Amino acid sequence: MPTIIFSQSDQSATEIEVSEGTTLMRAAVSNGVAGIVGECGGQAMCATCHVYVDPEFSAELDEIGEDEEEMLDCTTAARTEYSRLGCQVKMSAKLARIRVSVPNEQV
Amino acid sequence: MSTSTDAPASCPFSGAAAEASSISPAKARPSSETGAEAPSADWVTIADLHDDPFPIYQKLRAQAPIHWVPAVNRYMVTSYAAAHEIEQNEADFTANERESLMKRSMGHSMLRKDNPEHQIDRDSYGKTLRPATIKNHWNEIFAANNDKYLNELQAKGPGADFVWDYAAPYTAENLRLICGFHNASQQDMQRWSQSMIDGTGNYADDPAIWAKSAESSAEVDAAIAEMLPYLAKNPDHSLLSGLASMPIPLEAIRANLKMTIGGGLNEPRDVLATTVWALLNHPDQRHAVQNDDALYSKAFEESVRWVAPIGMYPRETTRDLVLEGIALPQGARLGVVLGAANRDPQVFDDPESFNIFRPKKAHLAFGGGVHFCAGTWIARAQVAQIALPTVFRRLPNLRLDPANASVDAGWVFRGMTKMPVLWDS
């Protein structure tokens, strides 16, 4: 099973092993990772599971969809080229040991 | 602690930068251990809840996170952690409750379905309520409606009622267009909404209330039947227009539109009035927002935390379980009391105070999980972005009428029922 590494601004990190198909948001919320809220349960509707994906994995991710695109404009922390909604990124073997940074602000 | 002041690039609802926070209330996973029996709160009355539920919630929460409340005939869940767990856990806590008054009043809408059935209905609402459509289409319409109904309030003059002479018609007219009822008036929307909501809350089984609710329901059915073929030929951005070309049963369209008429009108109306009322009662905070438009979105979020316009919604357990130490049998009827969870001192410091400068944390006013309010961004746009700044700009020295007191009331739904205001004309 692939592993996700959530890193916080205080340099602490949490490694979580999940089955393929699990989203970053679900993995974080189920394991109590601080700073990922996931209010809307994964419908790309609330913009509270914002993460910054490590650049080395950018090319491996699916393209940003229309719903995710408009919601990324509504994140509380500034959007960057590495911004994604955790609920729209599903884990797969090629994303094994993906590292994502949790923003300081989510609501 | 954040020092960022970057507003989101092009989001139409930019809020001021929030302070960093991690929301970490005690984990409240349902367990199979033996739990304690829920204490019975036989001292709680509907009349007291209606007048002011908050002292009751404080007393309940301090004693236990969940009580059996005979007057309401439900378990009332008042802690943040338990409410949050329930809304994120569809498997153990179904939205599809038995003997639902809402189903009787409005039909079986998405709000009382679980996934996967719920998602089909939810997806049928398409892009109408999403931020890009709001930005590109609805904001201009909301702004025009806001001008129109503020003009009417000003024409009526100081002493007019902020709720009934402005907030209600403004939000009703917005909702009329969002739904696509080009064959109805904002007054029809208000009548439909109130009578079907009264049906949803008709625990006393009053036949007169059922009759009015059924009458409105039939009127909505007739209006939908007329609009669907018209919108199929003349599409616009409305919900009914999207639904006109979708393979979705008419029964679902009717129920979902009725739910939307119920929830899409009173809630933004009540948030708008409650927020202005709170700001008028807190001159320092009112002064701050008037000097910084970015603070209106903070005022909005704090207002819905402080007085959640939907104060309670139902769920039902699907098995015997233990939640936060309290045993609940299968089929237990729960009231998830957002109005109480949003003032849980475990999560919010000084929770009873209205304070737009409090550290931002996730409140539960829009619900969570798959039933997260579909109208969240519509509400933020029409109230925080458009109405609030204009109200304070156009009504100099706006104030509550000292000779004619405002009234805030309700608990399942809470808002201002009377709010006479004065301004310098």
Side-chain angles (χ1 to χ4, degrees):
Chain A
M1 294 201 297
T3 298
I4 311 164
I5 303 159
F6 291 96
S7 61
Q8 305 283 348
S9 53
D10 65 2
Q11 308 307 320
S12 68
T14 313
E15 292 198 14
I16 297 170
E17 210 179 86
V18 296
S19 44
E20 293 193 26
T22 304
T23 67
L24 298 180
M25 182 280 286
R26 186 55 59 198
V29 170
S30 304
N31 290 280
V33 172
I36 306 280
V37 180
E39 261 172 355
C40 77
Q43 325 182 61
M45 203 46 207
C46 69
T48 63
C49 62
H50 180 203
V51 293
Y52 302 111
V53 175
D54 192 298
E56 72 173 277
F57 286 91
S58 295
E60 303 293 334
L61 299 176
D62 291 339
E63 281 194 23
I64 295 173
E66 198 183 333
D67 289 351
E68 185 180 0
E69 176 62 36
E70 64 180 349
M71 210 47 74
L72 281 170
D73 286 338
C74 296
T75 55
T76 300
R79 179 181 182 174
T80 75
E81 60 186 300
Y82 305 114
S83 287
R84 294 299 300 253
L85 291 186
C87 69
Q88 301 301 303
V89 179
K90 281 188 180 162
M91 285 302 289
S92 60
K94 66 182 179 181
L95 295 181
R97 299 202 64 75
I98 186 172
R99 178 177 280 271
V100 301
S101 302
V102 179
N104 279 331
E105 319 154 306
Q106 202 64 266
V107 295
Chain B
M1 202 68 60
S2 163
T3 53
S4 165
T5 52
D6 295 339
S10 59
C11 181
F13 324 98
S14 58
E19 289 184 51
S21 73
S22 57
I23 181 78
S24 52
K27 277 280 164 198
R29 291 288 145 81
S31 73
S32 303
E33 296 155 27
T34 320
E37 195 179 336
S40 179
D42 53 8
W43 49 273
V44 174
T45 69
I46 300 272
D48 288 347
L49 284 167
H50 182 83
D51 285 351
D52 183 3
F54 298 113
I56 297 171
Y57 298 157
Q58 273 183 286
K59 195 171 159 188
L60 289 171
R61 237 183 358 240
Q63 190 190 21
I66 302 167
H67 285 76
W68 171 254
V69 183
V72 181
N73 199 27
R74 285 179 188 275
Y75 291 90
M76 283 175 71
V77 177
T78 50
S79 82
Y80 184 104
H84 186 254
E85 169 60 23
I86 290 169
E87 58 188 28
Q88 297 291 337
N89 181 348
E90 267 194 298
D92 289 336
F93 304 97
T94 178
N96 189 6
E97 67 160 2
R98 293 164 297 145
E99 296 160 32
S100 159
L101 297 182
M102 186 187 195
K103 285 187 204 164
R104 176 167 172 189
S105 163
M106 301 180 175
H108 196 172
S109 77
M110 63 177 96
L111 208 56
R112 293 287 174 272
K113 293 180 183 178
D114 297 322
N115 277 347
E117 292 81 9
H118 156 271
Q119 203 60 45
I120 295 166
D121 284 13
R122 177 112 178 187
D123 290 346
S124 77
Y125 270 22
K127 306 286 185 200
T128 299
L129 308 177
R130 295 195 63 97
T133 312
I134 295 169
K135 191 164 68 179
N136 299 328
H137 180 70
W138 295 122
N139 273 348
E140 195 184 333
I141 290 167
F142 295 165
N145 288 339
N146 190 45
D147 281 341
K148 176 180 174 182
Y149 291 102
L150 267 181
N151 286 345
E152 291 192 6
L153 180 74
Q154 282 183 305
K156 200 146 187 183
D161 192 298
F162 189 85
V163 184
W164 304 112
D165 294 323
Y166 163 64
Y170 165 60
T171 50
E173 179 65 3
N174 289 345
L175 185 67
R176 186 180 74 82
L177 297 168
I178 291 165
C179 290
F181 285 116
H182 304 300
N183 54 353
S185 65
Q186 59 88 1
Q187 290 88 348
D188 293 328
M189 297 294 291
Q190 290 197 57
R191 187 179 69 256
W192 293 343
S193 181
Q194 197 55 55
S195 54
M196 290 188 295
I197 282 179
D198 290 344
T200 296
N202 191 11
Y203 289 97
D205 209 21
D206 181 339
I209 288 178
W210 283 128
K212 272 191 174 178
S213 173
E215 194 182 328
S216 282
S217 180
E219 285 181 40
V220 174
D221 289 346
I224 290 173
E226 189 178 28
M227 287 317 301
L228 285 175
Y230 172 84
L231 288 165
K233 286 190 196 135
N234 307 278
D236 60 18
H237 289 86
S238 69
L239 292 172
L240 281 168
S241 178
L243 291 161
S245 59
M246 217 170 274
I248 190 130
L250 182 59
E251 188 193 350
I253 296 177
R254 287 172 166 176
N256 289 328
L257 261 293
K258 288 169 195 170
M259 178 273 289
T260 303
I261 293 167
L265 199 163
N266 295 22
E267 279 53 77
R269 176 196 74 199
D270 292 346
V271 176
L272 175 48
T274 299
T275 309
V276 170
W277 180 70
L279 288 170
L280 294 181
N281 280 319
H282 295 83
D284 49 332
Q285 296 181 53
R286 179 252 185 90
H287 183 74
V289 296
Q290 282 199 267
N291 287 300
D292 181 0
D293 274 4
L295 290 178
Y296 284 111
S297 62
K298 279 199 164 192
F300 175 98
E301 298 299 328
E302 171 61 355
S303 173
V304 295
R305 181 203 69 81
W306 188 57
V307 179
I310 296 181
M312 184 185 88
Y313 65 78
R315 286 289 183 270
E316 195 172 296
T317 53
T318 58
R319 64 178 178 92
D320 294 349
L321 52 81
V322 176
L323 179 61
E324 279 211 312
I326 303 291
L328 295 170
Q330 179 179 353
R333 290 158 73 79
L334 311 180
V336 182
V337 190
L338 299 181
N342 273 350
R343 293 190 182 200
D344 188 338
Q346 295 273 344
V347 177
F348 301 99
D349 291 335
D350 189 19
E352 305 297 325
S353 299
F354 176 82
N355 176 10
I356 66 171
F357 298 111
R358 69 173 56 251
K360 271 183 91 175
K361 288 188 176 172
H363 59 69
L364 303 180
F366 290 115
V370 304
H371 294 285
F372 179 73
C373 177
T376 298
W377 299 97
I378 290 277
R380 286 175 173 155
Q382 65 174 321
V383 175
Q385 191 196 5
I386 291 166
L388 291 174
T390 320
V391 162
F392 284 100
R393 211 160 30 238
R394 283 190 48 180
L395 301 172
N397 195 19
L398 180 66
R399 57 202 184 270
L400 299 170
D401 185 345
N404 194 359
S406 296
V407 178
D408 55 324
W411 64 290
V412 176
F413 302 101
R414 187 168 179 86
M416 307 305 299
T417 56
K418 178 184 170 190
M419 190 172 153
V421 287
L422 307 175
W423 61 90
D424 298 344
S425 51

